[in-house]
PDB file of all heavy atoms in Angstrom:
ATOM      1  N   ALA A 946     -61.242  57.865 -11.337  1.00 44.00           N
ATOM      2  CA  ALA A 946     -61.914  56.947 -10.418  1.00 44.00           C
ATOM      3  C   ALA A 946     -60.956  55.877  -9.916  1.00 44.00           C
ATOM      4  O   ALA A 946     -61.097  55.367  -8.800  1.00 44.00           O
ATOM      5  CB  ALA A 946     -63.109  56.302 -11.121  1.00 44.00           C
ATOM      6  N   HIS A 947     -59.949  55.530 -10.700  1.00 42.00           N
ATOM      7  CA  HIS A 947     -59.008  54.492 -10.293  1.00 42.00           C
ATOM      8  C   HIS A 947     -58.049  54.980  -9.213  1.00 42.00           C
ATOM      9  O   HIS A 947     -57.579  54.193  -8.388  1.00 42.00           O
ATOM     10  CB  HIS A 947     -58.230  53.985 -11.511  1.00 42.00           C
ATOM     11  CG  HIS A 947     -59.069  53.200 -12.472  1.00 42.00           C
ATOM     12  ND1 HIS A 947     -58.629  52.833 -13.716  1.00 42.00           N
ATOM     13  CD2 HIS A 947     -60.346  52.738 -12.368  1.00 42.00           C
ATOM     14  CE1 HIS A 947     -59.582  52.172 -14.348  1.00 42.00           C
ATOM     15  NE2 HIS A 947     -60.634  52.108 -13.542  1.00 42.00           N
ATOM     16  N   ILE A 948     -57.736  56.281  -9.226  1.00 47.00           N
ATOM     17  CA  ILE A 948     -56.968  56.855  -8.126  1.00 47.00           C
ATOM     18  C   ILE A 948     -57.848  56.982  -6.893  1.00 47.00           C
ATOM     19  O   ILE A 948     -57.461  56.608  -5.783  1.00 47.00           O
ATOM     20  CB  ILE A 948     -56.381  58.228  -8.517  1.00 47.00           C
ATOM     21  CG1 ILE A 948     -55.329  58.065  -9.613  1.00 47.00           C
ATOM     22  CG2 ILE A 948     -55.772  58.930  -7.299  1.00 47.00           C
ATOM     23  CD1 ILE A 948     -54.778  59.378 -10.132  1.00 47.00           C
ATOM     24  N   ALA A 949     -59.073  57.459  -7.091  1.00 50.00           N
ATOM     25  CA  ALA A 949     -59.981  57.679  -5.969  1.00 50.00           C
ATOM     26  C   ALA A 949     -60.263  56.397  -5.207  1.00 50.00           C
ATOM     27  O   ALA A 949     -60.379  56.390  -3.976  1.00 50.00           O
ATOM     28  CB  ALA A 949     -61.289  58.290  -6.474  1.00 50.00           C
ATOM     29  N   GLN A 950     -60.362  55.258  -5.917  1.00 48.00           N
ATOM     30  CA  GLN A 950     -60.702  54.009  -5.239  1.00 48.00           C
ATOM     31  C   GLN A 950     -59.613  53.570  -4.259  1.00 48.00           C
ATOM     32  O   GLN A 950     -59.888  52.877  -3.279  1.00 48.00           O
ATOM     33  CB  GLN A 950     -60.958  52.895  -6.264  1.00 48.00           C
ATOM     34  CG  GLN A 950     -59.707  52.378  -6.970  1.00 48.00           C
ATOM     35  CD  GLN A 950     -60.004  51.342  -8.037  1.00 48.00           C
ATOM     36  OE1 GLN A 950     -61.167  51.015  -8.295  1.00 48.00           O
ATOM     37  NE2 GLN A 950     -58.971  50.823  -8.674  1.00 48.00           N
ATOM     38  N   GLY A 951     -58.377  53.987  -4.501  1.00 48.00           N
ATOM     39  CA  GLY A 951     -57.301  53.637  -3.586  1.00 48.00           C
ATOM     40  C   GLY A 951     -57.186  54.585  -2.410  1.00 48.00           C
ATOM     41  O   GLY A 951     -56.680  54.221  -1.351  1.00 48.00           O
ATOM     42  N   VAL A 952     -57.669  55.809  -2.599  1.00 56.00           N
ATOM     43  CA  VAL A 952     -57.508  56.843  -1.583  1.00 56.00           C
ATOM     44  C   VAL A 952     -58.713  56.904  -0.651  1.00 56.00           C
ATOM     45  O   VAL A 952     -58.573  57.055   0.561  1.00 56.00           O
ATOM     46  CB  VAL A 952     -57.290  58.216  -2.258  1.00 56.00           C
ATOM     47  CG1 VAL A 952     -57.183  59.316  -1.206  1.00 56.00           C
ATOM     48  CG2 VAL A 952     -56.044  58.178  -3.131  1.00 56.00           C
ATOM     49  N   ASP A 953     -59.920  56.795  -1.213  1.00 57.00           N
ATOM     50  CA  ASP A 953     -61.128  57.007  -0.427  1.00 57.00           C
ATOM     51  C   ASP A 953     -61.307  55.937   0.636  1.00 57.00           C
ATOM     52  O   ASP A 953     -61.060  54.739   0.403  1.00 57.00           O
ATOM     53  CB  ASP A 953     -62.361  57.007  -1.336  1.00 57.00           C
ATOM     54  CG  ASP A 953     -62.380  58.204  -2.272  1.00 57.00           C
ATOM     55  OD1 ASP A 953     -61.647  59.172  -2.012  1.00 57.00           O
ATOM     56  OD2 ASP A 953     -63.128  58.158  -3.269  1.00 57.00           O
ATOM     57  N   ALA A 954     -61.751  56.373   1.820  1.00 55.00           N
ATOM     58  CA  ALA A 954     -62.117  55.429   2.877  1.00 55.00           C
ATOM     59  C   ALA A 954     -63.472  54.816   2.544  1.00 55.00           C
ATOM     60  O   ALA A 954     -64.346  55.457   1.974  1.00 55.00           O
ATOM     61  CB  ALA A 954     -62.178  56.146   4.216  1.00 55.00           C
ATOM     62  N   THR A 955     -63.652  53.543   2.907  1.00 49.00           N
ATOM     63  CA  THR A 955     -64.937  52.861   2.756  1.00 49.00           C
ATOM     64  C   THR A 955     -65.217  52.106   4.038  1.00 49.00           C
ATOM     65  O   THR A 955     -64.418  52.116   4.993  1.00 49.00           O
ATOM     66  CB  THR A 955     -64.907  51.869   1.578  1.00 49.00           C
ATOM     67  OG1 THR A 955     -64.037  50.773   1.911  1.00 49.00           O
ATOM     68  CG2 THR A 955     -64.417  52.532   0.300  1.00 49.00           C
ATOM     69  N   SER A 956     -66.351  51.399   4.076  1.00 48.00           N
ATOM     70  CA  SER A 956     -66.674  50.601   5.268  1.00 48.00           C
ATOM     71  C   SER A 956     -65.698  49.456   5.445  1.00 48.00           C
ATOM     72  O   SER A 956     -65.581  48.887   6.535  1.00 48.00           O
ATOM     73  CB  SER A 956     -68.102  50.060   5.153  1.00 48.00           C
ATOM     74  OG  SER A 956     -68.233  49.271   3.974  1.00 48.00           O
ATOM     75  N   ASP A 957     -64.986  49.121   4.371  1.00 49.00           N
ATOM     76  CA  ASP A 957     -64.072  47.971   4.421  1.00 49.00           C
ATOM     77  C   ASP A 957     -62.608  48.352   4.624  1.00 49.00           C
ATOM     78  O   ASP A 957     -61.777  47.499   4.899  1.00 49.00           O
ATOM     79  CB  ASP A 957     -64.174  47.164   3.116  1.00 49.00           C
ATOM     80  CG  ASP A 957     -65.565  46.617   2.890  1.00 49.00           C
ATOM     81  OD1 ASP A 957     -66.181  46.192   3.878  1.00 49.00           O
ATOM     82  OD2 ASP A 957     -66.031  46.648   1.737  1.00 49.00           O
ATOM     83  N   LYS A 958     -62.255  49.629   4.458  1.00 45.00           N
ATOM     84  CA  LYS A 958     -60.841  49.992   4.573  1.00 45.00           C
ATOM     85  C   LYS A 958     -60.671  51.445   4.980  1.00 45.00           C
ATOM     86  O   LYS A 958     -61.568  52.273   4.791  1.00 45.00           O
ATOM     87  CB  LYS A 958     -60.108  49.743   3.251  1.00 45.00           C
ATOM     88  CG  LYS A 958     -60.404  50.752   2.148  1.00 45.00           C
ATOM     89  CD  LYS A 958     -59.503  50.515   0.959  1.00 45.00           C
ATOM     90  CE  LYS A 958     -59.644  51.615  -0.084  1.00 45.00           C
ATOM     91  NZ  LYS A 958     -59.105  52.897   0.377  1.00 45.00           N
ATOM     92  N   GLU A 959     -59.487  51.727   5.573  1.00 70.00           N
ATOM     93  CA  GLU A 959     -59.124  53.091   5.906  1.00 70.00           C
ATOM     94  C   GLU A 959     -58.753  53.858   4.641  1.00 70.00           C
ATOM     95  O   GLU A 959     -58.422  53.266   3.607  1.00 70.00           O
ATOM     96  CB  GLU A 959     -57.906  53.104   6.839  1.00 70.00           C
ATOM     97  CG  GLU A 959     -58.133  52.600   8.236  1.00 70.00           C
ATOM     98  CD  GLU A 959     -56.883  52.750   9.064  1.00 70.00           C
ATOM     99  OE1 GLU A 959     -56.701  53.816   9.672  1.00 70.00           O
ATOM    100  OE2 GLU A 959     -56.072  51.806   9.093  1.00 70.00           O
ATOM    101  N   GLU A 960     -58.795  55.179   4.759  1.00 80.00           N
ATOM    102  CA  GLU A 960     -58.308  56.015   3.667  1.00 80.00           C
ATOM    103  C   GLU A 960     -56.839  55.711   3.409  1.00 80.00           C
ATOM    104  O   GLU A 960     -56.023  55.661   4.332  1.00 80.00           O
ATOM    105  CB  GLU A 960     -58.477  57.479   4.061  1.00 80.00           C
ATOM    106  CG  GLU A 960     -57.904  58.460   3.073  1.00 80.00           C
ATOM    107  CD  GLU A 960     -57.933  59.866   3.630  1.00 80.00           C
ATOM    108  OE1 GLU A 960     -59.025  60.420   3.815  1.00 80.00           O
ATOM    109  OE2 GLU A 960     -56.837  60.400   3.901  1.00 80.00           O
ATOM    110  N   GLY A 961     -56.493  55.479   2.142  1.00 80.00           N
ATOM    111  CA  GLY A 961     -55.115  55.160   1.803  1.00 80.00           C
ATOM    112  C   GLY A 961     -54.337  56.374   1.339  1.00 80.00           C
ATOM    113  O   GLY A 961     -54.901  57.440   1.063  1.00 80.00           O
ATOM    114  N   ALA A 962     -53.019  56.211   1.240  1.00 85.00           N
ATOM    115  CA  ALA A 962     -52.169  57.266   0.708  1.00 85.00           C
ATOM    116  C   ALA A 962     -52.491  57.484  -0.765  1.00 85.00           C
ATOM    117  O   ALA A 962     -52.832  56.548  -1.489  1.00 85.00           O
ATOM    118  CB  ALA A 962     -50.698  56.908   0.881  1.00 85.00           C
ATOM    119  N   GLY A 963     -52.376  58.729  -1.206  1.00 78.00           N
ATOM    120  CA  GLY A 963     -52.695  59.072  -2.586  1.00 78.00           C
ATOM    121  C   GLY A 963     -51.642  58.642  -3.588  1.00 78.00           C
ATOM    122  O   GLY A 963     -51.872  58.700  -4.800  1.00 78.00           O
ATOM    123  N   ASP A 964     -50.490  58.197  -3.116  1.00 82.00           N
ATOM    124  CA  ASP A 964     -49.441  57.712  -4.012  1.00 82.00           C
ATOM    125  C   ASP A 964     -48.380  57.031  -3.156  1.00 82.00           C
ATOM    126  O   ASP A 964     -48.343  57.186  -1.930  1.00 82.00           O
ATOM    127  CB  ASP A 964     -48.814  58.877  -4.790  1.00 82.00           C
ATOM    128  CG  ASP A 964     -48.066  58.421  -6.048  1.00 82.00           C
ATOM    129  OD1 ASP A 964     -47.952  57.191  -6.259  1.00 82.00           O
ATOM    130  OD2 ASP A 964     -47.596  59.284  -6.802  1.00 82.00           O
ATOM    131  N   GLN A 965     -47.533  56.259  -3.806  1.00 90.00           N
ATOM    132  CA  GLN A 965     -46.371  55.740  -3.099  1.00 90.00           C
ATOM    133  C   GLN A 965     -45.331  56.846  -3.007  1.00 90.00           C
ATOM    134  O   GLN A 965     -45.413  57.865  -3.687  1.00 90.00           O
ATOM    135  CB  GLN A 965     -45.784  54.550  -3.832  1.00 90.00           C
ATOM    136  CG  GLN A 965     -45.081  54.906  -5.138  1.00 90.00           C
ATOM    137  CD  GLN A 965     -44.456  53.694  -5.798  1.00 90.00           C
ATOM    138  OE1 GLN A 965     -45.078  52.653  -5.926  1.00 90.00           O
ATOM    139  NE2 GLN A 965     -43.207  53.827  -6.219  1.00 90.00           N
ATOM    140  N   GLY A 966     -44.325  56.639  -2.158  1.00 93.00           N
ATOM    141  CA  GLY A 966     -43.236  57.601  -2.105  1.00 93.00           C
ATOM    142  C   GLY A 966     -42.598  57.675  -0.738  1.00 93.00           C
ATOM    143  O   GLY A 966     -43.041  57.041   0.226  1.00 93.00           O
ATOM    144  N   LEU A 967     -41.525  58.446  -0.677  1.00 96.00           N
ATOM    145  CA  LEU A 967     -40.799  58.665   0.561  1.00 96.00           C
ATOM    146  C   LEU A 967     -40.648  60.155   0.780  1.00 96.00           C
ATOM    147  O   LEU A 967     -40.487  60.917  -0.165  1.00 96.00           O
ATOM    148  CB  LEU A 967     -39.419  57.998   0.522  1.00 96.00           C
ATOM    149  CG  LEU A 967     -38.575  58.273  -0.718  1.00 96.00           C
ATOM    150  CD1 LEU A 967     -37.160  58.654  -0.328  1.00 96.00           C
ATOM    151  CD2 LEU A 967     -38.554  57.028  -1.602  1.00 96.00           C
ATOM    152  N   MET A 968     -40.782  60.558   2.026  1.00 98.00           N
ATOM    153  CA  MET A 968     -40.776  61.979   2.375  1.00 98.00           C
ATOM    154  C   MET A 968     -39.812  62.209   3.526  1.00 98.00           C
ATOM    155  O   MET A 968     -39.704  61.377   4.433  1.00 98.00           O
ATOM    156  CB  MET A 968     -42.172  62.449   2.801  1.00 98.00           C
ATOM    157  CG  MET A 968     -43.226  62.265   1.736  1.00 98.00           C
ATOM    158  SD  MET A 968     -43.874  60.577   1.737  1.00 98.00           S
ATOM    159  CE  MET A 968     -44.454  60.489   0.035  1.00 98.00           C
ATOM    160  N   PHE A 969     -39.117  63.338   3.489  1.00 98.00           N
ATOM    161  CA  PHE A 969     -38.144  63.674   4.518  1.00 98.00           C
ATOM    162  C   PHE A 969     -38.550  64.940   5.258  1.00 98.00           C
ATOM    163  O   PHE A 969     -39.102  65.876   4.673  1.00 98.00           O
ATOM    164  CB  PHE A 969     -36.766  63.902   3.895  1.00 98.00           C
ATOM    165  CG  PHE A 969     -36.096  62.658   3.399  1.00 98.00           C
ATOM    166  CD1 PHE A 969     -36.222  62.262   2.077  1.00 98.00           C
ATOM    167  CD2 PHE A 969     -35.338  61.878   4.261  1.00 98.00           C
ATOM    168  CE1 PHE A 969     -35.607  61.112   1.610  1.00 98.00           C
ATOM    169  CE2 PHE A 969     -34.718  60.723   3.807  1.00 98.00           C
ATOM    170  CZ  PHE A 969     -34.844  60.337   2.487  1.00 98.00           C
ATOM    171  N   GLY A 970     -38.246  64.967   6.545  1.00 98.00           N
ATOM    172  CA  GLY A 970     -38.330  66.169   7.352  1.00 98.00           C
ATOM    173  C   GLY A 970     -37.000  66.406   8.033  1.00 98.00           C
ATOM    174  O   GLY A 970     -36.246  65.463   8.296  1.00 98.00           O
ATOM    175  N   TYR A 971     -36.711  67.663   8.343  1.00 98.00           N
ATOM    176  CA  TYR A 971     -35.393  68.012   8.882  1.00 98.00           C
ATOM    177  C   TYR A 971     -35.521  69.197   9.818  1.00 98.00           C
ATOM    178  O   TYR A 971     -36.384  70.075   9.638  1.00 98.00           O
ATOM    179  CB  TYR A 971     -34.460  68.371   7.726  1.00 98.00           C
ATOM    180  CG  TYR A 971     -33.045  68.722   8.115  1.00 98.00           C
ATOM    181  CD1 TYR A 971     -32.156  67.740   8.521  1.00 98.00           C
ATOM    182  CD2 TYR A 971     -32.592  70.037   8.044  1.00 98.00           C
ATOM    183  CE1 TYR A 971     -30.836  68.065   8.862  1.00 98.00           C
ATOM    184  CE2 TYR A 971     -31.283  70.369   8.371  1.00 98.00           C
ATOM    185  CZ  TYR A 971     -30.409  69.372   8.779  1.00 98.00           C
ATOM    186  OH  TYR A 971     -29.121  69.693   9.104  1.00 98.00           O
ATOM    187  N   ALA A 972     -34.686  69.215  10.827  1.00 98.00           N
ATOM    188  CA  ALA A 972     -34.579  70.369  11.720  1.00 98.00           C
ATOM    189  C   ALA A 972     -33.162  70.417  12.273  1.00 98.00           C
ATOM    190  O   ALA A 972     -32.509  69.384  12.448  1.00 98.00           O
ATOM    191  CB  ALA A 972     -35.593  70.290  12.855  1.00 98.00           C
ATOM    192  N   VAL A 973     -32.695  71.632  12.566  1.00 98.00           N
ATOM    193  CA  VAL A 973     -31.362  71.829  13.121  1.00 98.00           C
ATOM    194  C   VAL A 973     -31.394  73.096  13.971  1.00 98.00           C
ATOM    195  O   VAL A 973     -32.103  74.049  13.653  1.00 98.00           O
ATOM    196  CB  VAL A 973     -30.310  71.926  11.993  1.00 98.00           C
ATOM    197  CG1 VAL A 973     -30.583  73.111  11.072  1.00 98.00           C
ATOM    198  CG2 VAL A 973     -28.897  71.970  12.539  1.00 98.00           C
ATOM    199  N   ASN A 974     -30.631  73.098  15.044  1.00 97.00           N
ATOM    200  CA  ASN A 974     -30.749  74.204  16.005  1.00 97.00           C
ATOM    201  C   ASN A 974     -29.805  75.372  15.715  1.00 97.00           C
ATOM    202  O   ASN A 974     -29.310  76.020  16.622  1.00 97.00           O
ATOM    203  CB  ASN A 974     -30.538  73.700  17.431  1.00 97.00           C
ATOM    204  CG  ASN A 974     -29.130  73.191  17.682  1.00 97.00           C
ATOM    205  OD1 ASN A 974     -28.310  73.122  16.762  1.00 97.00           O
ATOM    206  ND2 ASN A 974     -28.841  72.830  18.918  1.00 97.00           N
ATOM    207  N   GLU A 975     -29.582  75.677  14.421  1.00 96.00           N
ATOM    208  CA  GLU A 975     -28.681  76.783  14.087  1.00 96.00           C
ATOM    209  C   GLU A 975     -29.415  78.095  13.821  1.00 96.00           C
ATOM    210  O   GLU A 975     -28.757  79.121  13.599  1.00 96.00           O
ATOM    211  CB  GLU A 975     -27.797  76.399  12.901  1.00 96.00           C
ATOM    212  CG  GLU A 975     -28.525  76.109  11.614  1.00 96.00           C
ATOM    213  CD  GLU A 975     -27.596  75.536  10.547  1.00 96.00           C
ATOM    214  OE1 GLU A 975     -26.805  74.629  10.878  1.00 96.00           O
ATOM    215  OE2 GLU A 975     -27.669  75.987   9.393  1.00 96.00           O
ATOM    216  N   THR A 976     -30.738  78.091  13.812  1.00 98.00           N
ATOM    217  CA  THR A 976     -31.534  79.319  13.741  1.00 98.00           C
ATOM    218  C   THR A 976     -32.698  79.192  14.717  1.00 98.00           C
ATOM    219  O   THR A 976     -33.068  78.080  15.104  1.00 98.00           O
ATOM    220  CB  THR A 976     -32.110  79.556  12.324  1.00 98.00           C
ATOM    221  OG1 THR A 976     -32.975  78.462  11.985  1.00 98.00           O
ATOM    222  CG2 THR A 976     -31.010  79.682  11.285  1.00 98.00           C
ATOM    223  N   PRO A 977     -33.313  80.301  15.120  1.00 97.00           N
ATOM    224  CA  PRO A 977     -34.463  80.214  16.039  1.00 97.00           C
ATOM    225  C   PRO A 977     -35.608  79.376  15.473  1.00 97.00           C
ATOM    226  O   PRO A 977     -36.360  78.749  16.234  1.00 97.00           O
ATOM    227  CB  PRO A 977     -34.883  81.678  16.208  1.00 97.00           C
ATOM    228  CG  PRO A 977     -33.655  82.473  15.928  1.00 97.00           C
ATOM    229  CD  PRO A 977     -32.916  81.709  14.872  1.00 97.00           C
ATOM    230  N   GLU A 978     -35.740  79.334  14.149  1.00 98.00           N
ATOM    231  CA  GLU A 978     -36.811  78.560  13.508  1.00 98.00           C
ATOM    232  C   GLU A 978     -36.450  77.090  13.353  1.00 98.00           C
ATOM    233  O   GLU A 978     -37.236  76.306  12.811  1.00 98.00           O
ATOM    234  CB  GLU A 978     -37.119  79.154  12.135  1.00 98.00           C
ATOM    235  CG  GLU A 978     -37.590  80.600  12.168  1.00 98.00           C
ATOM    236  CD  GLU A 978     -36.441  81.614  12.230  1.00 98.00           C
ATOM    237  OE1 GLU A 978     -35.255  81.201  12.175  1.00 98.00           O
ATOM    238  OE2 GLU A 978     -36.732  82.824  12.347  1.00 98.00           O
ATOM    239  N   LEU A 979     -35.253  76.713  13.820  1.00 98.00           N
ATOM    240  CA  LEU A 979     -34.739  75.344  13.700  1.00 98.00           C
ATOM    241  C   LEU A 979     -34.634  74.918  12.233  1.00 98.00           C
ATOM    242  O   LEU A 979     -34.958  73.796  11.856  1.00 98.00           O
ATOM    243  CB  LEU A 979     -35.586  74.356  14.515  1.00 98.00           C
ATOM    244  CG  LEU A 979     -35.701  74.682  16.016  1.00 98.00           C
ATOM    245  CD1 LEU A 979     -36.475  73.587  16.739  1.00 98.00           C
ATOM    246  CD2 LEU A 979     -34.325  74.893  16.653  1.00 98.00           C
ATOM    247  N   MET A 980     -34.166  75.864  11.426  1.00 98.00           N
ATOM    248  CA  MET A 980     -33.934  75.655  10.001  1.00 98.00           C
ATOM    249  C   MET A 980     -32.463  75.896   9.675  1.00 98.00           C
ATOM    250  O   MET A 980     -31.770  76.624  10.391  1.00 98.00           O
ATOM    251  CB  MET A 980     -34.787  76.630   9.181  1.00 98.00           C
ATOM    252  CG  MET A 980     -36.250  76.251   9.088  1.00 98.00           C
ATOM    253  SD  MET A 980     -36.540  74.844   7.987  1.00 98.00           S
ATOM    254  CE  MET A 980     -36.239  75.586   6.371  1.00 98.00           C
ATOM    255  N   PRO A 981     -31.974  75.316   8.572  1.00 98.00           N
ATOM    256  CA  PRO A 981     -30.614  75.640   8.128  1.00 98.00           C
ATOM    257  C   PRO A 981     -30.492  77.130   7.821  1.00 98.00           C
ATOM    258  O   PRO A 981     -31.375  77.718   7.177  1.00 98.00           O
ATOM    259  CB  PRO A 981     -30.447  74.791   6.862  1.00 98.00           C
ATOM    260  CG  PRO A 981     -31.485  73.718   6.962  1.00 98.00           C
ATOM    261  CD  PRO A 981     -32.626  74.316   7.702  1.00 98.00           C
ATOM    262  N   ALA A 982     -29.404  77.733   8.258  1.00 98.00           N
ATOM    263  CA  ALA A 982     -29.235  79.175   8.103  1.00 98.00           C
ATOM    264  C   ALA A 982     -29.204  79.641   6.647  1.00 98.00           C
ATOM    265  O   ALA A 982     -29.816  80.661   6.320  1.00 98.00           O
ATOM    266  CB  ALA A 982     -27.966  79.629   8.830  1.00 98.00           C
ATOM    267  N   PRO A 983     -28.507  78.954   5.733  1.00 98.00           N
ATOM    268  CA  PRO A 983     -28.417  79.503   4.367  1.00 98.00           C
ATOM    269  C   PRO A 983     -29.782  79.686   3.705  1.00 98.00           C
ATOM    270  O   PRO A 983     -30.035  80.735   3.099  1.00 98.00           O
ATOM    271  CB  PRO A 983     -27.566  78.464   3.631  1.00 98.00           C
ATOM    272  CG  PRO A 983     -26.728  77.833   4.700  1.00 98.00           C
ATOM    273  CD  PRO A 983     -27.632  77.767   5.895  1.00 98.00           C
ATOM    274  N   ILE A 984     -30.661  78.710   3.801  1.00 98.00           N
ATOM    275  CA  ILE A 984     -31.971  78.839   3.157  1.00 98.00           C
ATOM    276  C   ILE A 984     -32.867  79.800   3.930  1.00 98.00           C
ATOM    277  O   ILE A 984     -33.609  80.591   3.332  1.00 98.00           O
ATOM    278  CB  ILE A 984     -32.654  77.458   2.988  1.00 98.00           C
ATOM    279  CG1 ILE A 984     -33.921  77.571   2.139  1.00 98.00           C
ATOM    280  CG2 ILE A 984     -32.978  76.824   4.333  1.00 98.00           C
ATOM    281  CD1 ILE A 984     -33.686  77.955   0.714  1.00 98.00           C
ATOM    282  N   GLN A 985     -32.795  79.790   5.260  1.00 98.00           N
ATOM    283  CA  GLN A 985     -33.678  80.651   6.048  1.00 98.00           C
ATOM    284  C   GLN A 985     -33.413  82.127   5.767  1.00 98.00           C
ATOM    285  O   GLN A 985     -34.347  82.917   5.590  1.00 98.00           O
ATOM    286  CB  GLN A 985     -33.510  80.345   7.539  1.00 98.00           C
ATOM    287  CG  GLN A 985     -34.552  80.982   8.435  1.00 98.00           C
ATOM    288  CD  GLN A 985     -35.940  80.391   8.270  1.00 98.00           C
ATOM    289  OE1 GLN A 985     -36.132  79.390   7.584  1.00 98.00           O
ATOM    290  NE2 GLN A 985     -36.930  81.000   8.897  1.00 98.00           N
ATOM    291  N   TYR A 986     -32.153  82.503   5.698  1.00 98.00           N
ATOM    292  CA  TYR A 986     -31.830  83.913   5.456  1.00 98.00           C
ATOM    293  C   TYR A 986     -31.964  84.286   3.986  1.00 98.00           C
ATOM    294  O   TYR A 986     -32.269  85.445   3.658  1.00 98.00           O
ATOM    295  CB  TYR A 986     -30.454  84.246   6.007  1.00 98.00           C
ATOM    296  CG  TYR A 986     -30.412  84.182   7.519  1.00 98.00           C
ATOM    297  CD1 TYR A 986     -29.615  83.259   8.189  1.00 98.00           C
ATOM    298  CD2 TYR A 986     -31.206  85.035   8.277  1.00 98.00           C
ATOM    299  CE1 TYR A 986     -29.602  83.193   9.587  1.00 98.00           C
ATOM    300  CE2 TYR A 986     -31.201  84.965   9.666  1.00 98.00           C
ATOM    301  CZ  TYR A 986     -30.404  84.053  10.314  1.00 98.00           C
ATOM    302  OH  TYR A 986     -30.403  83.976  11.693  1.00 98.00           O
ATOM    303  N   SER A 987     -31.776  83.323   3.081  1.00 98.00           N
ATOM    304  CA  SER A 987     -32.048  83.595   1.662  1.00 98.00           C
ATOM    305  C   SER A 987     -33.519  83.939   1.462  1.00 98.00           C
ATOM    306  O   SER A 987     -33.870  84.865   0.711  1.00 98.00           O
ATOM    307  CB  SER A 987     -31.664  82.382   0.806  1.00 98.00           C
ATOM    308  OG  SER A 987     -30.271  82.169   0.794  1.00 98.00           O
ATOM    309  N   HIS A 988     -34.407  83.181   2.123  1.00 98.00           N
ATOM    310  CA  HIS A 988     -35.838  83.501   2.080  1.00 98.00           C
ATOM    311  C   HIS A 988     -36.116  84.883   2.670  1.00 98.00           C
ATOM    312  O   HIS A 988     -36.885  85.674   2.110  1.00 98.00           O
ATOM    313  CB  HIS A 988     -36.637  82.478   2.894  1.00 98.00           C
ATOM    314  CG  HIS A 988     -36.764  81.130   2.276  1.00 98.00           C
ATOM    315  ND1 HIS A 988     -36.917  80.916   0.925  1.00 98.00           N
ATOM    316  CD2 HIS A 988     -36.802  79.894   2.858  1.00 98.00           C
ATOM    317  CE1 HIS A 988     -37.035  79.613   0.700  1.00 98.00           C
ATOM    318  NE2 HIS A 988     -36.962  78.984   1.841  1.00 98.00           N
ATOM    319  N   ALA A 989     -35.509  85.157   3.816  1.00 98.00           N
ATOM    320  CA  ALA A 989     -35.801  86.405   4.534  1.00 98.00           C
ATOM    321  C   ALA A 989     -35.466  87.628   3.686  1.00 98.00           C
ATOM    322  O   ALA A 989     -36.207  88.624   3.685  1.00 98.00           O
ATOM    323  CB  ALA A 989     -35.034  86.438   5.852  1.00 98.00           C
ATOM    324  N   ILE A 990     -34.363  87.560   2.962  1.00 98.00           N
ATOM    325  CA  ILE A 990     -33.963  88.686   2.112  1.00 98.00           C
ATOM    326  C   ILE A 990     -35.019  88.962   1.048  1.00 98.00           C
ATOM    327  O   ILE A 990     -35.444  90.099   0.841  1.00 98.00           O
ATOM    328  CB  ILE A 990     -32.590  88.399   1.480  1.00 98.00           C
ATOM    329  CG1 ILE A 990     -31.486  88.486   2.544  1.00 98.00           C
ATOM    330  CG2 ILE A 990     -32.304  89.356   0.320  1.00 98.00           C
ATOM    331  CD1 ILE A 990     -30.157  87.920   2.089  1.00 98.00           C
ATOM    332  N   LEU A 991     -35.459  87.920   0.358  1.00 98.00           N
ATOM    333  CA  LEU A 991     -36.427  88.113  -0.720  1.00 98.00           C
ATOM    334  C   LEU A 991     -37.797  88.517  -0.193  1.00 98.00           C
ATOM    335  O   LEU A 991     -38.508  89.308  -0.834  1.00 98.00           O
ATOM    336  CB  LEU A 991     -36.536  86.846  -1.562  1.00 98.00           C
ATOM    337  CG  LEU A 991     -35.298  86.487  -2.375  1.00 98.00           C
ATOM    338  CD1 LEU A 991     -35.565  85.266  -3.232  1.00 98.00           C
ATOM    339  CD2 LEU A 991     -34.859  87.653  -3.262  1.00 98.00           C
TER     340      LEU A 991
END
């Protein structure tokens, strides 16, 4: 309930983030999917 009270929207506040933290996104034009080639082709093989 203590996590829920920070996340749930109420009449008094917007829905909050479920935790603190920092998040990264990345793109590069070396593959058609705009992903780094080493990981993209490693996935494709498997």
Side-chain angles (χ1 to χ4, degrees):
H947 291 170
I948 293 176
Q950 72 184 2
V952 177
D953 293 343
T955 69
S956 58
D957 299 321
K958 74 173 188 69
E959 290 184 88
E960 175 188 293
D964 199 355
Q965 71 177 47
L967 49 133
M968 301 83 204
F969 289 94
Y971 181 74
V973 61
N974 66 355
E975 62 188 46
T976 61
E978 300 84 4
L979 303 184
M980 283 287 288
I984 188 66
Q985 191 69 8
Y986 292 116
S987 292
H988 287 323
I990 288 167
L991 293 184

